[in-house]
PDB file of all heavy atoms in Angstrom:
ATOM      1  N   PRO M 228     148.599  -8.292  60.133  1.00  0.00           N
ATOM      2  CA  PRO M 228     148.893  -7.240  59.106  1.00  0.00           C
ATOM      3  C   PRO M 228     148.282  -7.345  57.786  1.00  0.00           C
ATOM      4  O   PRO M 228     147.815  -6.352  57.164  1.00  0.00           O
ATOM      5  CB  PRO M 228     150.439  -7.334  59.078  1.00  0.00           C
ATOM      6  CG  PRO M 228     150.851  -8.123  60.275  1.00  0.00           C
ATOM      7  CD  PRO M 228     149.766  -9.084  60.541  1.00  0.00           C
ATOM      8  N   ALA M 229     148.157  -8.604  57.338  1.00  0.00           N
ATOM      9  CA  ALA M 229     147.505  -8.750  55.985  1.00  0.00           C
ATOM     10  C   ALA M 229     145.990  -8.507  56.020  1.00  0.00           C
ATOM     11  O   ALA M 229     145.498  -7.868  55.058  1.00  0.00           O
ATOM     12  CB  ALA M 229     147.727 -10.201  55.416  1.00  0.00           C
ATOM     13  N   ILE M 230     145.376  -8.734  57.128  1.00  0.00           N
ATOM     14  CA  ILE M 230     143.960  -8.472  57.113  1.00  0.00           C
ATOM     15  C   ILE M 230     143.790  -6.862  57.221  1.00  0.00           C
ATOM     16  O   ILE M 230     142.934  -6.325  56.536  1.00  0.00           O
ATOM     17  CB  ILE M 230     143.294  -9.050  58.499  1.00  0.00           C
ATOM     18  CG1 ILE M 230     143.255 -10.595  58.315  1.00  0.00           C
ATOM     19  CG2 ILE M 230     141.864  -8.568  58.598  1.00  0.00           C
ATOM     20  CD1 ILE M 230     142.725 -11.310  59.564  1.00  0.00           C
ATOM     21  N   ARG M 231     144.638  -6.228  57.987  1.00  0.00           N
ATOM     22  CA  ARG M 231     144.485  -4.765  58.079  1.00  0.00           C
ATOM     23  C   ARG M 231     144.841  -4.110  56.760  1.00  0.00           C
ATOM     24  O   ARG M 231     144.144  -3.121  56.366  1.00  0.00           O
ATOM     25  CB  ARG M 231     145.416  -4.252  59.223  1.00  0.00           C
ATOM     26  CG  ARG M 231     144.949  -4.477  60.578  1.00  0.00           C
ATOM     27  CD  ARG M 231     145.776  -3.734  61.615  1.00  0.00           C
ATOM     28  NE  ARG M 231     145.755  -2.406  61.462  1.00  0.00           N
ATOM     29  CZ  ARG M 231     144.718  -1.521  61.911  1.00  0.00           C
ATOM     30  NH1 ARG M 231     143.762  -2.149  62.560  1.00  0.00           N
ATOM     31  NH2 ARG M 231     144.712  -0.198  61.549  1.00  0.00           N
ATOM     32  N   SER M 232     145.808  -4.707  56.051  1.00  0.00           N
ATOM     33  CA  SER M 232     146.150  -4.107  54.734  1.00  0.00           C
ATOM     34  C   SER M 232     145.040  -4.316  53.821  1.00  0.00           C
ATOM     35  O   SER M 232     144.671  -3.394  53.044  1.00  0.00           O
ATOM     36  CB  SER M 232     147.415  -4.711  54.266  1.00  0.00           C
ATOM     37  OG  SER M 232     147.764  -4.230  52.969  1.00  0.00           O
ATOM     38  N   GLN M 233     144.402  -5.495  53.770  1.00  0.00           N
ATOM     39  CA  GLN M 233     143.417  -5.881  52.818  1.00  0.00           C
ATOM     40  C   GLN M 233     142.164  -5.147  53.063  1.00  0.00           C
ATOM     41  O   GLN M 233     141.523  -4.620  52.126  1.00  0.00           O
ATOM     42  CB  GLN M 233     143.195  -7.354  52.841  1.00  0.00           C
ATOM     43  CG  GLN M 233     142.127  -7.837  51.832  1.00  0.00           C
ATOM     44  CD  GLN M 233     141.927  -9.392  51.859  1.00  0.00           C
ATOM     45  OE1 GLN M 233     142.822 -10.164  52.234  1.00  0.00           O
ATOM     46  NE2 GLN M 233     140.793  -9.817  51.358  1.00  0.00           N
ATOM     47  N   LEU M 234     141.752  -4.945  54.326  1.00  0.00           N
ATOM     48  CA  LEU M 234     140.480  -4.360  54.632  1.00  0.00           C
ATOM     49  C   LEU M 234     140.558  -2.828  54.806  1.00  0.00           C
ATOM     50  O   LEU M 234     139.541  -2.090  54.608  1.00  0.00           O
ATOM     51  CB  LEU M 234     139.819  -4.978  55.866  1.00  0.00           C
ATOM     52  CG  LEU M 234     139.499  -6.445  55.710  1.00  0.00           C
ATOM     53  CD1 LEU M 234     138.812  -7.010  57.008  1.00  0.00           C
ATOM     54  CD2 LEU M 234     138.686  -6.744  54.503  1.00  0.00           C
ATOM     55  N   ALA M 235     141.666  -2.321  55.172  1.00  0.00           N
ATOM     56  CA  ALA M 235     142.031  -0.852  55.351  1.00  0.00           C
ATOM     57  C   ALA M 235     140.798  -0.068  55.967  1.00  0.00           C
ATOM     58  O   ALA M 235     140.412  -0.452  57.100  1.00  0.00           O
ATOM     59  CB  ALA M 235     142.294  -0.298  53.987  1.00  0.00           C
ATOM     60  N   ASP M 236     140.322   0.781  55.282  1.00  0.00           N
ATOM     61  CA  ASP M 236     139.309   1.792  55.819  1.00  0.00           C
ATOM     62  C   ASP M 236     137.997   1.103  56.190  1.00  0.00           C
ATOM     63  O   ASP M 236     137.219   1.571  57.047  1.00  0.00           O
ATOM     64  CB  ASP M 236     139.013   2.846  54.865  1.00  0.00           C
ATOM     65  CG  ASP M 236     140.152   3.860  54.790  1.00  0.00           C
ATOM     66  OD1 ASP M 236     141.120   3.792  55.717  1.00  0.00           O
ATOM     67  OD2 ASP M 236     140.167   4.666  53.799  1.00  0.00           O
ATOM     68  N   GLN M 237     137.705  -0.163  55.654  1.00  0.00           N
ATOM     69  CA  GLN M 237     136.548  -0.908  56.009  1.00  0.00           C
ATOM     70  C   GLN M 237     136.531  -1.320  57.487  1.00  0.00           C
ATOM     71  O   GLN M 237     135.439  -1.438  58.032  1.00  0.00           O
ATOM     72  CB  GLN M 237     136.441  -2.097  55.137  1.00  0.00           C
ATOM     73  CG  GLN M 237     136.246  -1.861  53.623  1.00  0.00           C
ATOM     74  CD  GLN M 237     136.209  -3.178  52.859  1.00  0.00           C
ATOM     75  OE1 GLN M 237     135.228  -3.933  52.974  1.00  0.00           O
ATOM     76  NE2 GLN M 237     137.129  -3.468  52.000  1.00  0.00           N
ATOM     77  N   LEU M 238     137.714  -1.513  58.114  1.00  0.00           N
ATOM     78  CA  LEU M 238     137.767  -1.763  59.486  1.00  0.00           C
ATOM     79  C   LEU M 238     137.279  -0.639  60.279  1.00  0.00           C
ATOM     80  O   LEU M 238     136.918  -0.926  61.469  1.00  0.00           O
ATOM     81  CB  LEU M 238     139.235  -2.280  59.771  1.00  0.00           C
ATOM     82  CG  LEU M 238     139.599  -3.688  59.370  1.00  0.00           C
ATOM     83  CD1 LEU M 238     141.050  -3.828  59.695  1.00  0.00           C
ATOM     84  CD2 LEU M 238     138.715  -4.712  59.938  1.00  0.00           C
ATOM     85  N   VAL M 239     137.354   0.497  59.799  1.00  0.00           N
ATOM     86  CA  VAL M 239     136.863   1.757  60.494  1.00  0.00           C
ATOM     87  C   VAL M 239     135.421   1.987  60.239  1.00  0.00           C
ATOM     88  O   VAL M 239     134.603   2.174  61.132  1.00  0.00           O
ATOM     89  CB  VAL M 239     137.701   2.991  60.131  1.00  0.00           C
ATOM     90  CG1 VAL M 239     137.101   4.159  60.845  1.00  0.00           C
ATOM     91  CG2 VAL M 239     139.155   2.825  60.455  1.00  0.00           C
ATOM     92  N   ASP M 240     135.002   1.897  58.987  1.00  0.00           N
ATOM     93  CA  ASP M 240     133.676   2.235  58.561  1.00  0.00           C
ATOM     94  C   ASP M 240     132.672   1.103  58.808  1.00  0.00           C
ATOM     95  O   ASP M 240     131.644   1.323  59.477  1.00  0.00           O
ATOM     96  CB  ASP M 240     133.572   2.579  57.051  1.00  0.00           C
ATOM     97  CG  ASP M 240     134.530   3.738  56.705  1.00  0.00           C
ATOM     98  OD1 ASP M 240     134.679   4.561  57.668  1.00  0.00           O
ATOM     99  OD2 ASP M 240     135.020   3.772  55.652  1.00  0.00           O
ATOM    100  N   LYS M 241     132.952  -0.094  58.518  1.00  0.00           N
ATOM    101  CA  LYS M 241     132.058  -1.281  58.684  1.00  0.00           C
ATOM    102  C   LYS M 241     132.807  -2.514  59.109  1.00  0.00           C
ATOM    103  O   LYS M 241     132.962  -3.512  58.173  1.00  0.00           O
ATOM    104  CB  LYS M 241     131.225  -1.556  57.371  1.00  0.00           C
ATOM    105  CG  LYS M 241     130.251  -0.431  56.991  1.00  0.00           C
ATOM    106  CD  LYS M 241     129.436  -0.798  55.895  1.00  0.00           C
ATOM    107  CE  LYS M 241     128.294   0.178  55.508  1.00  0.00           C
ATOM    108  NZ  LYS M 241     127.339  -0.232  54.465  1.00  0.00           N
ATOM    109  N   PRO M 242     133.473  -2.612  60.282  1.00  0.00           N
ATOM    110  CA  PRO M 242     134.296  -3.703  60.593  1.00  0.00           C
ATOM    111  C   PRO M 242     133.545  -5.015  60.607  1.00  0.00           C
ATOM    112  O   PRO M 242     134.085  -6.068  60.250  1.00  0.00           O
ATOM    113  CB  PRO M 242     134.703  -3.301  62.005  1.00  0.00           C
ATOM    114  CG  PRO M 242     133.702  -2.325  62.596  1.00  0.00           C
ATOM    115  CD  PRO M 242     133.209  -1.590  61.259  1.00  0.00           C
ATOM    116  N   LEU M 243     132.290  -5.109  61.082  1.00  0.00           N
ATOM    117  CA  LEU M 243     131.583  -6.371  61.151  1.00  0.00           C
ATOM    118  C   LEU M 243     131.478  -6.919  59.754  1.00  0.00           C
ATOM    119  O   LEU M 243     131.588  -8.145  59.407  1.00  0.00           O
ATOM    120  CB  LEU M 243     130.269  -6.268  61.901  1.00  0.00           C
ATOM    121  CG  LEU M 243     129.514  -7.593  61.952  1.00  0.00           C
ATOM    122  CD1 LEU M 243     130.227  -8.718  62.669  1.00  0.00           C
ATOM    123  CD2 LEU M 243     128.073  -7.301  62.645  1.00  0.00           C
ATOM    124  N   TYR M 244     130.783  -5.913  58.890  1.00  0.00           N
ATOM    125  CA  TYR M 244     130.604  -6.296  57.465  1.00  0.00           C
ATOM    126  C   TYR M 244     131.862  -6.858  56.778  1.00  0.00           C
ATOM    127  O   TYR M 244     131.880  -7.887  56.070  1.00  0.00           O
ATOM    128  CB  TYR M 244     130.038  -5.187  56.763  1.00  0.00           C
ATOM    129  CG  TYR M 244     129.682  -5.413  55.302  1.00  0.00           C
ATOM    130  CD1 TYR M 244     128.434  -5.776  55.019  1.00  0.00           C
ATOM    131  CD2 TYR M 244     130.697  -5.154  54.341  1.00  0.00           C
ATOM    132  CE1 TYR M 244     128.153  -5.963  53.613  1.00  0.00           C
ATOM    133  CE2 TYR M 244     130.402  -5.291  53.025  1.00  0.00           C
ATOM    134  CZ  TYR M 244     129.222  -5.738  52.599  1.00  0.00           C
ATOM    135  OH  TYR M 244     128.945  -5.923  51.330  1.00  0.00           O
ATOM    136  N   ALA M 245     132.902  -6.096  56.919  1.00  0.00           N
ATOM    137  CA  ALA M 245     134.179  -6.437  56.309  1.00  0.00           C
ATOM    138  C   ALA M 245     134.738  -7.735  56.804  1.00  0.00           C
ATOM    139  O   ALA M 245     135.161  -8.595  56.006  1.00  0.00           O
ATOM    140  CB  ALA M 245     135.211  -5.251  56.574  1.00  0.00           C
ATOM    141  N   LEU M 246     134.798  -7.976  58.109  1.00  0.00           N
ATOM    142  CA  LEU M 246     135.343  -9.167  58.620  1.00  0.00           C
ATOM    143  C   LEU M 246     134.467 -10.423  58.320  1.00  0.00           C
ATOM    144  O   LEU M 246     134.983 -11.587  58.031  1.00  0.00           O
ATOM    145  CB  LEU M 246     135.423  -9.075  60.235  1.00  0.00           C
ATOM    146  CG  LEU M 246     136.746  -8.416  60.741  1.00  0.00           C
ATOM    147  CD1 LEU M 246     136.750  -8.419  62.229  1.00  0.00           C
ATOM    148  CD2 LEU M 246     137.935  -9.124  60.289  1.00  0.00           C
ATOM    149  N   THR M 247     133.255 -10.330  58.458  1.00  0.00           N
ATOM    150  CA  THR M 247     132.275 -11.405  58.078  1.00  0.00           C
ATOM    151  C   THR M 247     132.505 -11.850  56.597  1.00  0.00           C
ATOM    152  O   THR M 247     132.616 -13.027  56.321  1.00  0.00           O
ATOM    153  CB  THR M 247     130.784 -11.047  58.321  1.00  0.00           C
ATOM    154  OG1 THR M 247     130.651 -10.623  59.682  1.00  0.00           O
ATOM    155  CG2 THR M 247     129.896 -12.108  58.060  1.00  0.00           C
ATOM    156  N   ARG M 248     132.493 -10.901  55.693  1.00  0.00           N
ATOM    157  CA  ARG M 248     132.700 -11.262  54.315  1.00  0.00           C
ATOM    158  C   ARG M 248     134.054 -11.809  54.048  1.00  0.00           C
ATOM    159  O   ARG M 248     134.146 -12.808  53.264  1.00  0.00           O
ATOM    160  CB  ARG M 248     132.496  -9.982  53.413  1.00  0.00           C
ATOM    161  CG  ARG M 248     132.389 -10.216  51.900  1.00  0.00           C
ATOM    162  CD  ARG M 248     131.904  -9.114  51.181  1.00  0.00           C
ATOM    163  NE  ARG M 248     130.582  -8.731  51.418  1.00  0.00           N
ATOM    164  CZ  ARG M 248     129.522  -9.460  50.855  1.00  0.00           C
ATOM    165  NH1 ARG M 248     129.754 -10.355  50.046  1.00  0.00           N
ATOM    166  NH2 ARG M 248     128.337  -9.037  51.188  1.00  0.00           N
ATOM    167  N   LEU M 249     135.147 -11.278  54.712  1.00  0.00           N
ATOM    168  CA  LEU M 249     136.466 -11.917  54.659  1.00  0.00           C
ATOM    169  C   LEU M 249     136.447 -13.240  54.985  1.00  0.00           C
ATOM    170  O   LEU M 249     137.153 -14.174  54.239  1.00  0.00           O
ATOM    171  CB  LEU M 249     137.463 -11.201  55.408  1.00  0.00           C
ATOM    172  CG  LEU M 249     138.893 -11.611  55.441  1.00  0.00           C
ATOM    173  CD1 LEU M 249     139.569 -11.456  54.047  1.00  0.00           C
ATOM    174  CD2 LEU M 249     139.712 -11.128  56.631  1.00  0.00           C
ATOM    175  N   CYS M 250     135.824 -13.684  56.063  1.00  0.00           N
ATOM    176  CA  CYS M 250     135.714 -15.080  56.491  1.00  0.00           C
ATOM    177  C   CYS M 250     135.094 -15.958  55.497  1.00  0.00           C
ATOM    178  O   CYS M 250     135.614 -17.090  55.117  1.00  0.00           O
ATOM    179  CB  CYS M 250     135.133 -15.140  57.816  1.00  0.00           C
ATOM    180  SG  CYS M 250     136.068 -14.495  59.336  1.00  0.00           S
ATOM    181  N   TRP M 251     133.937 -15.546  55.047  1.00  0.00           N
ATOM    182  CA  TRP M 251     133.266 -16.323  54.037  1.00  0.00           C
ATOM    183  C   TRP M 251     134.042 -16.466  52.754  1.00  0.00           C
ATOM    184  O   TRP M 251     133.987 -17.575  52.263  1.00  0.00           O
ATOM    185  CB  TRP M 251     131.893 -15.682  53.716  1.00  0.00           C
ATOM    186  CG  TRP M 251     130.813 -16.058  54.755  1.00  0.00           C
ATOM    187  CD1 TRP M 251     130.278 -15.160  55.682  1.00  0.00           C
ATOM    188  CD2 TRP M 251     130.042 -17.369  54.859  1.00  0.00           C
ATOM    189  NE1 TRP M 251     129.367 -15.877  56.452  1.00  0.00           N
ATOM    190  CE2 TRP M 251     129.135 -17.115  55.939  1.00  0.00           C
ATOM    191  CE3 TRP M 251     130.243 -18.580  54.177  1.00  0.00           C
ATOM    192  CZ2 TRP M 251     128.409 -18.240  56.378  1.00  0.00           C
ATOM    193  CZ3 TRP M 251     129.495 -19.530  54.654  1.00  0.00           C
ATOM    194  CH2 TRP M 251     128.541 -19.369  55.708  1.00  0.00           C
ATOM    195  N   GLN M 252     134.801 -15.496  52.362  1.00  0.00           N
ATOM    196  CA  GLN M 252     135.579 -15.578  51.153  1.00  0.00           C
ATOM    197  C   GLN M 252     136.695 -16.625  51.318  1.00  0.00           C
ATOM    198  O   GLN M 252     137.191 -17.108  50.315  1.00  0.00           O
ATOM    199  CB  GLN M 252     136.113 -14.123  50.843  1.00  0.00           C
ATOM    200  CG  GLN M 252     135.057 -13.234  50.260  1.00  0.00           C
ATOM    201  CD  GLN M 252     135.499 -11.747  49.990  1.00  0.00           C
ATOM    202  OE1 GLN M 252     136.671 -11.424  50.662  1.00  0.00           O
ATOM    203  NE2 GLN M 252     134.698 -10.939  49.477  1.00  0.00           N
ATOM    204  N   HIS M 253     136.997 -16.880  52.540  1.00  0.00           N
ATOM    205  CA  HIS M 253     138.179 -17.812  52.768  1.00  0.00           C
ATOM    206  C   HIS M 253     137.497 -19.124  53.218  1.00  0.00           C
ATOM    207  O   HIS M 253     138.179 -20.054  53.706  1.00  0.00           O
ATOM    208  CB  HIS M 253     138.993 -17.388  53.828  1.00  0.00           C
ATOM    209  CG  HIS M 253     140.087 -16.394  53.410  1.00  0.00           C
ATOM    210  ND1 HIS M 253     139.801 -15.095  53.061  1.00  0.00           N
ATOM    211  CD2 HIS M 253     141.435 -16.535  53.120  1.00  0.00           C
ATOM    212  CE1 HIS M 253     140.831 -14.431  52.690  1.00  0.00           C
ATOM    213  NE2 HIS M 253     141.905 -15.299  52.657  1.00  0.00           N
ATOM    214  N   GLY M 254     136.192 -19.278  52.987  1.00  0.00           N
ATOM    215  CA  GLY M 254     135.528 -20.642  53.329  1.00  0.00           C
ATOM    216  C   GLY M 254     135.369 -20.793  54.841  1.00  0.00           C
ATOM    217  O   GLY M 254     135.290 -22.075  55.212  1.00  0.00           O
ATOM    218  N   VAL M 255     135.386 -19.785  55.590  1.00  0.00           N
ATOM    219  CA  VAL M 255     135.125 -19.953  57.139  1.00  0.00           C
ATOM    220  C   VAL M 255     133.648 -19.378  57.424  1.00  0.00           C
ATOM    221  O   VAL M 255     133.484 -18.296  57.365  1.00  0.00           O
ATOM    222  CB  VAL M 255     136.190 -19.033  57.873  1.00  0.00           C
ATOM    223  CG1 VAL M 255     135.898 -19.190  59.377  1.00  0.00           C
ATOM    224  CG2 VAL M 255     137.590 -19.514  57.461  1.00  0.00           C
ATOM    225  N   PRO M 256     132.782 -20.345  57.603  1.00  0.00           N
ATOM    226  CA  PRO M 256     131.377 -20.008  57.835  1.00  0.00           C
ATOM    227  C   PRO M 256     131.291 -19.188  59.202  1.00  0.00           C
ATOM    228  O   PRO M 256     131.905 -19.454  60.174  1.00  0.00           O
ATOM    229  CB  PRO M 256     130.611 -21.264  57.937  1.00  0.00           C
ATOM    230  CG  PRO M 256     131.533 -22.276  57.179  1.00  0.00           C
ATOM    231  CD  PRO M 256     132.904 -21.771  57.558  1.00  0.00           C
ATOM    232  N   ILE M 257     130.363 -18.150  59.087  1.00  0.00           N
ATOM    233  CA  ILE M 257     129.994 -17.366  60.211  1.00  0.00           C
ATOM    234  C   ILE M 257     128.471 -17.692  60.583  1.00  0.00           C
ATOM    235  O   ILE M 257     127.659 -17.392  59.711  1.00  0.00           O
ATOM    236  CB  ILE M 257     130.177 -15.866  60.122  1.00  0.00           C
ATOM    237  CG1 ILE M 257     131.650 -15.594  59.645  1.00  0.00           C
ATOM    238  CG2 ILE M 257     129.821 -15.125  61.304  1.00  0.00           C
ATOM    239  CD1 ILE M 257     132.689 -15.916  60.577  1.00  0.00           C
ATOM    240  N   LEU M 258     128.321 -18.290  61.751  1.00  0.00           N
ATOM    241  CA  LEU M 258     126.961 -18.765  62.190  1.00  0.00           C
ATOM    242  C   LEU M 258     126.302 -17.641  63.090  1.00  0.00           C
ATOM    243  O   LEU M 258     126.724 -17.575  64.261  1.00  0.00           O
ATOM    244  CB  LEU M 258     127.006 -20.054  62.838  1.00  0.00           C
ATOM    245  CG  LEU M 258     125.728 -20.556  63.502  1.00  0.00           C
ATOM    246  CD1 LEU M 258     124.651 -20.877  62.485  1.00  0.00           C
ATOM    247  CD2 LEU M 258     125.967 -21.852  64.295  1.00  0.00           C
ATOM    248  N   PRO M 259     125.323 -16.866  62.698  1.00  0.00           N
ATOM    249  CA  PRO M 259     124.747 -15.965  63.547  1.00  0.00           C
ATOM    250  C   PRO M 259     123.546 -16.501  64.290  1.00  0.00           C
ATOM    251  O   PRO M 259     122.621 -17.145  63.649  1.00  0.00           O
ATOM    252  CB  PRO M 259     124.304 -14.811  62.543  1.00  0.00           C
ATOM    253  CG  PRO M 259     123.934 -15.450  61.240  1.00  0.00           C
ATOM    254  CD  PRO M 259     124.827 -16.769  61.263  1.00  0.00           C
ATOM    255  N   LEU M 260     123.513 -16.447  65.574  1.00  0.00           N
ATOM    256  CA  LEU M 260     122.443 -17.042  66.451  1.00  0.00           C
ATOM    257  C   LEU M 260     121.724 -15.989  67.143  1.00  0.00           C
ATOM    258  O   LEU M 260     122.295 -15.002  67.499  1.00  0.00           O
ATOM    259  CB  LEU M 260     123.084 -18.086  67.290  1.00  0.00           C
ATOM    260  CG  LEU M 260     123.799 -19.253  66.740  1.00  0.00           C
ATOM    261  CD1 LEU M 260     124.738 -20.023  67.708  1.00  0.00           C
ATOM    262  CD2 LEU M 260     122.843 -20.185  66.026  1.00  0.00           C
ATOM    263  N   SER M 261     120.447 -16.198  67.485  1.00  0.00           N
ATOM    264  CA  SER M 261     119.610 -15.221  68.201  1.00  0.00           C
ATOM    265  C   SER M 261     118.991 -15.746  69.419  1.00  0.00           C
ATOM    266  O   SER M 261     118.158 -15.094  70.022  1.00  0.00           O
ATOM    267  CB  SER M 261     118.472 -14.670  67.206  1.00  0.00           C
ATOM    268  OG  SER M 261     117.625 -15.782  66.857  1.00  0.00           O
TER     269      SER M 261
END
């Protein structure tokens, strides 16, 4: 509920961008691999 409240419309418009940034802001690294 807190994530949905904090990100709100971003979860509709840019969910990947919003979630990735949220993780990094909490010190949770996101490792993109190709």
Side-chain angles (χ1 to χ4, degrees):
I230 295 176
R231 286 192 59 84
S232 175
Q233 181 177 340
L234 299 183
D236 290 343
Q237 296 180 64
L238 285 175
V239 176
D240 299 332
K241 292 188 174 182
L243 178 62
Y244 179 91
L246 274 179
T247 302
R248 189 169 292 281
L249 175 73
C250 288
W251 277 107
Q252 289 170 346
H253 282 76
V255 178
I257 305 299
L258 172 66
L260 299 167
S261 61

